[in-house]
Amino acid sequence: MDRAALNKIVSGVYVVGSTKDGKLNGQIINTLIRITADPVYVAISINKNNLTCEFIRASRVFSVSMLSTQVPMTFIGLFGFKSGREVDKFAQTGYRIGQTGAPIVLDHTVAWMEARVTAEIECETHVVFIGKLEDYGLISDAPVLTYEYYSTVMKGKSARNAPTYTPPEEKKKEVAGQKYACSVCGYVYDPALGDPEHGIKPGTPFDELPDDWTCPVCGADKSQFEPAA
């Protein structure tokens, strides 16, 4: 089977937000489907292990913010590669609380919607939530970010829990002193400098970094790094 065929499925890049016990969380998704016209029902897919899934199951509400093509990679890194268990994402983001109580991201957003969950479907690693829209609106007429644009133009990658995640190809033998760039936010790891703030001494080659080392800027794992030009 050729996984490239799956990349032809048209999808966008969105932020889903929800709430639980007065706390807020959100994450990047690329699975959003409009199911009906009137009333409007939509479906989203969330990995079972993600905190957002836990929040939606508890509150039975969610918001979706459609991002523009001008969204910076650091924003994608915050919502796509960092966990709400460790970072308060909304402390760094412009948002408002919708009528359902779900947080609606306003930064880099073209349009938004909020829904109440009416059903959920278990799909092994993911849960599909079906929701009836309670409110929605348009913020700008900027182009909406599609996954194809994100992956081909912005050279962005998918997190391990995303439906579009593709295991990295085997890396070629590293050239001495080779720098590596994060494909999510653009941070460049320089072996000569290391990452002292996170315990990596100068002179440490990229392939000798611990398996749990992540990008100091956006939190992307090592699989998201590529040799820098």
Side-chain angles (χ1 to χ4, degrees):
M1 292 183 285
D2 187 351
R3 292 185 65 91
L6 301 178
N7 295 334
K8 298 302 180 182
I9 298 174
V10 179
S11 61
V13 180
Y14 321 100
V15 174
V16 167
S18 193
T19 181
K20 177 185 177 184
D21 300 330
K23 297 181 180 180
L24 308 176
N25 194 57
Q27 69 167 77
I28 296 288
I29 68 166
N30 45 46
T31 305
L32 168 68
I33 303 172
R34 180 176 175 178
I35 300 174
T36 61
D38 186 20
V40 183
Y41 281 79
V42 298
I44 61 173
S45 174
I46 306 286
N47 189 283
K48 292 180 180 180
N49 295 324
N50 289 1
L51 186 62
T52 307
C53 184
E54 177 185 320
F55 276 35
I56 296 175
R57 280 183 151 167
S59 65
R60 313 306 290 173
V61 300
F62 64 84
S63 67
V64 178
S65 295
M66 304 178 189
L67 302 178
S68 80
T69 54
Q70 300 304 308
V71 60
M73 276 297 199
T74 49
F75 185 89
I76 298 292
L78 175 63
F79 279 92
F81 290 88
K82 292 189 177 182
S83 171
R85 296 182 176 90
E86 303 170 354
V87 178
D88 182 355
K89 302 176 186 180
F90 284 90
Q92 309 173 48
T93 307
Y95 71 94
R96 70 176 180 81
I97 301 299
Q99 65 182 40
T100 64
I104 299 170
V105 171
L106 303 176
D107 292 347
H108 318 295
T109 296
V110 175
W112 58 270
M113 60 187 70
E114 55 178 323
R116 294 189 184 277
V117 176
T118 59
E120 62 180 79
I121 303 170
E122 296 266 347
C123 297
E124 295 193 19
T125 59
H126 286 65
V127 178
V128 175
F129 292 101
I130 298 174
K132 180 181 180 181
L133 293 195
E134 297 287 327
D135 199 9
Y136 47 89
L138 188 67
I139 293 180
S140 79
D141 58 0
V144 174
L145 178 61
T146 64
Y147 185 77
E148 181 178 17
Y149 186 95
Y150 169 70
S151 61
T152 60
V153 178
M154 298 174 68
K155 304 300 182 183
K157 307 295 183 181
S158 292
R160 290 181 181 276
N161 286 349
T164 49
Y165 174 72
T166 300
E169 296 180 359
E170 185 176 350
K171 292 184 174 67
K172 297 180 180 179
K173 186 176 181 180
E174 181 177 322
V175 177
Q178 174 71 59
K179 297 178 182 180
Y180 277 75
C182 177
S183 60
V184 178
C185 69
Y187 165 82
V188 175
Y189 175 78
D190 185 345
L193 302 177
D195 182 16
E197 186 177 347
H198 298 92
I200 306 300
K201 297 179 180 180
T204 303
F206 184 82
D207 63 356
E208 292 183 13
L209 292 173
D211 290 339
D212 60 355
W213 182 84
T214 59
C215 176
V217 175
C218 71
D221 62 35
K222 289 175 62 178
S223 68
Q224 306 300 325
F225 279 72
E226 300 172 347

